[in-house]
Amino acid sequence: MGLFILRRFGVMLLTALCLTFVVFFLTNLYPNLEKLAKTQGNQRMSDEQVETWLGNRGYLQPTLIKYGQWLGVMPGFTKTLEDGTFQGTCVRPGLTEEDTPRYCGVLQGDWGYSTVFKDEVGKIVSVRLGNTGYLMFWVLVLMVPSALLVGVLAGMREGSALDRSLSTFSIITTATPEYVSGVIFIAIFTSSTVGLKWFKGTATSAMENPTFENFFLPVLTISLYGMGYIARMTRASMTEVMTAQYIRTARLKGVSFSNIVMKHALRNALIAPFTVIMLQFPWLLNGVVIVETLFNYKGFGWALVQAAGNNDIQLLLAISVVSVFVVLLTQLISDIGYVYLNPRIRIS
Amino acid sequence: MEPLTWTGSIAFLNPILLLALAALALSIIVWIVASIFLPEQQITVNSDGSVSSSGGLRGLIQTALHYSFLASVGLSVAYLLLGIFMGTNAGIIGAMSQQFLPVWVALIIMFASSIAFKRRLGLYGKLYDSPIGMIGFGLVMFWVFTGIFGAMDMIVTHDPLTQLSGMKNKVPGTPLPNLEDGQYAWYLLGGDNLARDVFSRMVKGAWIVVQIAPLATMFAFMVGITLGLPAGYYGGRLDTFLSFLANLILAFPVILLFYLLVTPEIVATGVPNYMAAVLFVFPILFLAVLLNSRFYTRPKFRTPLLVAVLGITVWLYLSLISTGGYVINTDDYRIWGLPTYLDLFDIPGGILVVFVSVVFVNSPTVFRIVRGLALDIKTRDYVAAAQTRGEGPWYIMLWEILPNARGPLIVDFCLRIGYTTILLGTLGFFGLGLPPESPDWGSTINEGRKLLSIYLHPALPPAFALLSLVLGLNLLADGLREESLKD
């Protein structure tokens, strides 16, 4: 088991390295750098001015060297301009030339400096992740129990009225992407035309003061899309378990139906959904980006959109590292959890 | 001109429909509650040989459900039927129903002919045995026909890009202020923020989805199958390498990938053209290997067939990847492609990048599915028989394993078209790729959401259109799964 986890961590690191390099390569293509120079400097810069702007900040070095600098295995770029100002990738406002470290990369714990938010990337990402973590927590609290409940209720009597109604419900939710359900919810519950006005159409105020009124709609929007899928998986695994031999035996023995469901079927039926829930995280990440944009909740997804829209290279890299680790860690947890839940599987 | 109401002169039907719907909702709730608490219907044989059934209440509830459902459906159809004949007299719904007339005709012809010959149509014919599959297929084909006829300018009432003065944010059914000859007199679903017709934009948006989604999914399947079969069949290093690549792409959050790939700056560097040049090779490889592995024992037949098929596909491939005589045309350098007089069609850079990235995002998942299926099927006896017979590995993969994996693949194909539709909507929602005035559903939803608290009508029609298309595809996949499991 230890070796297995170790190997998985190795693969994870390799994946993260490859992915960050891809992100690095794409964001450092010349047209993207030109856009960065024009948004940071001046929209009406001439081509030569763009070159010098980029050259002074070390953007025109070979990609591999820049990548090494970002990782922290190469010394950071420094240059003293003609007017005597000292510039470089490691230079931060408030630090003198002597205090500036030679290496400043991920290995040194320095995630870089965001060109959009004018702040340390590490700080931005942790603040935004906190906001999103809070959102995700409530999404999971709403989504997982209700999805499991829907799936178990639908699967315990296949073909019954309850099964058909709940299955229809879960098919509809899987067919409704967040930007559709979000728009419909906003239209019904917040607009002055319909007049219900039960909730607020933005979640901006939820960052300081989350209440049911301003926070429920984003949570509901994300959970619904993921819920249908988990519910269908739970239903499939529940129906499979309910036709198993030992359930028939228990029934013939005279165990009551509720006891069969609660004590005999449930544990075996919940193995498959556990994996599905864990593998659902990457999808939730997508939902988070859409919903945070739709409801203007300034979390991780919102930061991604801002960073990508403005070609903020170092922030984008940090965001991709975080999301890659979220995805791979959940995969690892799902594998390990699967083994613990299902003793028939052993990892050699 | 008078503004139109929703139902016009057939408004007398509204209370009846409401009544029927209320009865339907009530009976569904009672049905669910009853299924939990009432005992199941049991037929007992009495000693004198007669049978008696218990649980009459259940039967009663089911009858109520049945009739209220029929009444609701019948009334809804009545709205549409009356609308076809009465047009704008039957309000907005009637007028829309009349506009959709070609779609109704096409749907009826398709369903009638398919049901008549359903025993001779294989899996497609069996679809008509499952009500869920039929509903799903109906929804999908509704939007497919809408897209096709909409592209032929048959359904739309106005040009989707024309802005008419005085129609900004007007509610559904508003008449045009200064009507010209030959113009449709109303904005059926109102005007959007730029005074364009919401109804026509929704119809035109269907064409964009119908064009891109199935084709992109098909390419993703070709890539996934061509790589997944050998990965599953051979295993070993090849499998490790390809699986690592697939997991690499899957670990990327889709939206981050879209934000990195689908920008005008990336289009300017020619990266999408390189990706297109690589990804679109796979269908040619697939076809070539498919035909060669089957017919290589008959070179007299194989050679002309391969020459013809490859000639056509390579030509299509070259016309696809080259635009205006170049494969890649950036400021710094160019790579020559097919000359313009041989170039069959040009794809604008914006569309190409959308297409390529959607294929790119979808193919690793297909790869994993195909790989899993191949791993499972390669242990079967008929594969061992083929190996003993001395068949080549590609023959076994493409003519023994692939046909036996078709059931799950067809089901996944339907689901994946739905997912691709959602992805296209996501791209539009973030304003990536397609031009901002494009009538595709995602962009329209994105534009409409900004004024959502005051005006609902610009955002909701495309939202419901997308919802119903994806729902239709999901139901279709469910029906297909059910029917293919019966074999």
Side-chain angles (χ1 to χ4, degrees):
Chain A
M1 195 67 178
L3 197 68
F4 167 75
I5 294 178
L6 211 67
R7 203 166 51 211
R8 287 296 293 265
F9 265 105
V11 172
M12 209 146 97
L13 267 182
L14 190 62
T15 313
L17 268 181
C18 291
L19 281 189
T20 45
F21 186 73
V22 171
V23 176
F24 205 86
F25 175 76
L26 286 174
T27 46
N28 274 287
L29 286 170
Y30 192 73
N32 271 336
L33 290 178
E34 195 178 332
K35 183 173 135 198
L36 178 75
K38 285 189 173 163
T39 45
Q40 290 301 311
N42 181 352
Q43 277 300 334
R44 283 191 286 279
M45 274 202 264
S46 68
D47 286 353
E48 292 84 49
Q49 282 171 316
V50 169
E51 289 258 330
T52 41
W53 192 93
L54 290 174
N56 285 341
R57 282 159 185 78
Y59 284 115
L60 294 182
Q61 304 167 85
T63 311
L64 268 177
I65 292 180
K66 280 188 286 182
Y67 186 62
Q69 288 170 350
W70 177 77
L71 273 181
V73 293
M74 300 270 243
F77 172 85
T78 49
K79 184 172 184 182
T80 312
L81 295 188
E82 284 153 16
D83 57 359
T85 46
F86 180 69
Q87 277 193 333
T89 38
C90 300
V91 180
R92 298 283 177 274
L95 277 187
T96 56
E97 189 172 340
E98 291 74 39
D99 291 341
T100 304
R102 220 165 92 74
Y103 291 90
C104 59
V106 178
L107 291 178
Q108 283 79 31
D110 188 340
W111 289 88
Y113 192 76
S114 160
T115 48
V116 182
F117 296 105
K118 306 270 180 267
D119 205 349
E120 299 273 331
V121 166
K123 217 193 293 172
I124 298 171
V125 169
S126 57
V127 170
R128 300 296 167 208
L129 258 186
N131 281 345
T132 297
Y134 189 72
L135 180 68
M136 290 292 266
F137 170 74
W138 284 107
V139 166
L140 290 179
V141 163
L142 178 69
M143 179 177 80
V144 174
S146 42
L148 292 182
L149 189 71
V150 167
V152 168
L153 284 180
M156 65 186 189
R157 277 206 191 98
E158 201 185 355
S160 69
L162 195 65
D163 176 22
R164 277 189 240 166
S165 324
L166 290 177
S167 296
T168 316
F169 168 75
S170 38
I171 282 200
I172 292 176
T173 56
T174 39
T176 320
E178 292 92 351
Y179 52 89
V180 170
S181 52
V183 160
I184 293 175
F185 287 144
I186 293 181
I188 295 176
F189 294 118
T190 70
S191 74
S192 48
T193 329
V194 177
L196 285 179
K197 291 209 165 186
W198 289 352
F199 300 108
K200 285 220 170 76
T202 79
T204 319
S205 53
M207 281 175 290
E208 289 89 38
N209 174 31
T211 58
F212 184 69
E213 193 189 15
N214 59 22
F215 206 54
F216 182 65
L217 276 191
V219 170
L220 181 70
T221 309
I222 303 181
S223 347
L224 267 185
Y225 186 50
M227 197 163 105
Y229 188 65
I230 301 178
R232 289 178 74 181
M233 290 295 148
T234 316
R235 177 186 172 273
S237 114
M238 187 73 188
T239 47
E240 202 186 315
V241 169
M242 288 305 278
T243 52
Q245 299 276 339
Y246 71 94
I247 297 288
R248 200 189 57 183
T249 313
R251 251 195 138 155
L252 292 176
K253 216 167 67 179
V255 183
S256 73
F257 188 72
S258 53
N259 257 341
I260 290 180
V261 171
M262 299 301 293
K263 290 193 180 148
H264 297 252
L266 210 54
R267 188 182 153 173
N268 283 320
L270 289 185
I271 295 173
F274 173 77
T275 339
V276 175
I277 292 169
M278 280 299 154
L279 296 182
Q280 198 72 9
F281 269 90
W283 300 69
L284 286 181
L285 217 61
N286 276 337
V288 162
V289 180
I290 294 172
V291 165
E292 284 180 1
T293 313
L294 188 60
F295 288 94
N296 202 18
Y297 182 79
K298 295 192 173 66
F300 189 65
W302 180 83
L304 189 159
V305 171
Q306 294 299 318
N310 295 299
N311 200 39
D312 188 340
I313 299 172
Q314 290 182 324
L315 184 55
L316 259 183
L317 284 167
I319 284 175
S320 49
V321 170
V322 171
S323 42
V324 164
F325 270 93
V326 168
V327 172
L328 297 177
L329 265 181
T330 48
Q331 277 178 10
L332 183 69
I333 295 173
S334 93
D335 282 358
I336 298 171
Y338 201 66
V339 174
Y340 271 106
L341 288 173
N342 193 350
R344 277 173 294 185
I345 296 174
R346 282 276 166 267
I347 292 163
S348 47
Chain B
M1 282 288 176
E2 287 288 304
L4 291 179
T5 55
W6 282 100
T7 45
S9 58
I10 54 170
F12 64 90
L13 280 174
N14 296 355
I16 311 177
L17 181 72
L18 273 182
L19 212 65
L21 284 178
L24 180 67
L26 194 72
S27 52
I28 288 180
I29 294 169
V30 173
W31 181 49
I32 294 173
V33 173
S35 79
I36 299 171
F37 292 112
L38 285 181
E40 276 177 48
Q41 202 158 345
Q42 280 176 336
I43 295 176
T44 43
V45 182
N46 300 328
S47 54
D48 58 348
S50 63
V51 286
S52 59
S53 86
S54 67
L57 197 54
R58 258 188 182 230
L60 197 70
I61 293 165
Q62 269 186 356
T63 322
L65 182 69
H66 190 70
Y67 280 111
S68 58
F69 178 72
L70 278 187
S72 316
V73 171
L75 278 169
S76 314
V77 172
Y79 275 105
L80 297 180
L81 268 183
L82 283 173
I84 291 174
F85 295 112
M86 293 165 65
T88 48
N89 284 331
I92 297 171
I93 293 177
M96 281 200 290
S97 167
Q98 199 175 38
Q99 287 300 317
F100 277 121
L101 185 64
V103 178
W104 303 134
V105 173
L107 274 181
I108 289 170
I109 292 175
M110 187 194 71
F111 267 81
S113 55
S114 309
I115 290 176
F117 299 109
K118 71 176 175 182
R119 289 288 158 248
R120 282 184 243 162
L121 290 172
L123 183 64
Y124 169 72
K126 276 194 198 138
L127 191 66
Y128 290 87
D129 291 336
S130 131
I132 290 194
M134 244 158 66
I135 295 173
F137 192 58
L139 275 174
V140 173
M141 288 321 282
F142 174 82
W143 286 113
V144 170
F145 286 135
T146 303
I148 294 171
F149 291 129
M152 292 151 72
D153 282 333
M154 280 169 83
I155 301 171
V156 289
T157 50
H158 295 91
D159 185 75
L161 298 182
T162 317
Q163 310 178 355
L164 294 180
S165 63
M167 295 306 287
K168 184 177 168 183
N169 288 328
K170 284 288 184 284
V171 292
T174 310
L176 300 189
N178 24 23
L179 189 66
E180 286 165 33
D181 271 352
Q183 251 182 340
Y184 199 80
W186 291 274
Y187 266 12
L188 283 178
L189 288 176
D192 66 2
N193 195 24
L194 291 171
R196 298 168 299 195
D197 185 26
V198 173
F199 176 74
S200 309
R201 286 177 72 76
M202 180 188 74
V203 171
K204 283 283 182 186
W207 178 232
I208 295 179
V209 171
V210 168
Q211 265 179 310
I212 299 181
L215 209 63
T217 317
M218 215 162 76
F219 273 99
F221 262 77
M222 296 270 195
V223 177
I225 290 173
T226 322
L227 294 176
L229 281 177
Y233 185 75
Y234 290 119
R237 291 242 176 87
L238 179 76
D239 183 25
T240 318
F241 174 68
L242 288 177
S243 296
F244 178 73
L245 274 189
N247 288 337
L248 200 67
I249 301 171
L250 285 176
F252 239 117
V254 177
I255 291 182
L256 179 62
L257 198 67
F258 279 161
Y259 258 110
L260 289 175
L261 275 181
V262 192
T263 57
E265 286 79 25
I266 296 282
V267 175
T269 58
V271 170
N273 298 65
Y274 285 114
M275 289 174 65
V278 173
L279 284 177
F280 297 158
V281 167
F282 285 100
I284 302 180
L285 276 180
F286 177 77
L287 272 180
V289 177
L290 183 81
L291 295 174
N292 186 47
S293 63
R294 177 95 198 201
F295 297 114
Y296 76 102
T297 45
R298 289 189 281 159
K300 269 193 189 144
F301 177 66
R302 189 264 322 249
T303 314
L305 181 75
L306 269 189
V307 167
V309 169
L310 285 189
I312 292 171
T313 46
V314 169
W315 188 17
L316 285 176
Y317 169 74
L318 287 175
S319 347
L320 190 69
I321 59 169
S322 52
T323 307
Y326 299 99
V327 175
I328 286 150
N329 188 0
T330 64
D331 295 340
D332 303 331
Y333 64 95
R334 299 167 165 190
I335 296 177
W336 284 93
L338 212 57
T340 32
Y341 53 87
L342 283 176
D343 205 344
L344 290 178
F345 45 84
D346 280 335
I347 296 180
I351 304 279
L352 184 72
V353 71
V354 168
F355 194 84
V356 168
S357 36
V358 170
V359 172
F360 188 69
V361 167
N362 270 321
S363 35
T365 333
V366 181
F367 164 83
R368 293 231 298 213
I369 296 169
V370 175
R371 175 181 167 272
L373 288 169
L375 271 178
D376 175 30
I377 294 178
K378 78 171 179 185
T379 56
R380 302 283 170 87
D381 287 346
Y382 48 79
V383 173
Q387 281 164 340
T388 327
R389 215 158 62 216
E391 302 284 6
W394 281 103
Y395 178 86
I396 295 176
M397 282 184 241
L398 289 170
W399 293 96
E400 300 280 349
I401 294 179
L402 191 59
N404 286 298
R406 71 181 185 282
L409 285 184
I410 290 172
V411 171
D412 186 70
F413 186 71
C414 291
L415 286 177
R416 203 146 290 284
I417 295 178
Y419 181 58
T420 310
T421 311
I422 292 179
L423 281 185
L424 287 176
T426 314
L427 279 174
F429 182 77
F430 285 108
L432 298 169
L434 299 162
E437 78 276 359
S438 127
D440 73 292
W441 293 336
S443 315
T444 328
I445 293 174
N446 183 34
E447 254 172 61
R449 80 182 163 97
K450 288 162 193 156
L451 286 173
L452 204 58
S453 54
I454 321 164
Y455 304 111
L456 302 180
H457 58 272
L460 287 185
F464 280 114
L466 198 142
L467 168 60
S468 61
L469 176 60
V470 179
L471 181 65
L473 284 162
N474 277 342
L475 292 177
L476 176 63
D478 255 36
L480 282 173
R481 182 183 297 135
E482 225 170 75
E483 290 305 316
S484 68
L485 281 181
K486 276 185 193 165
D487 284 351

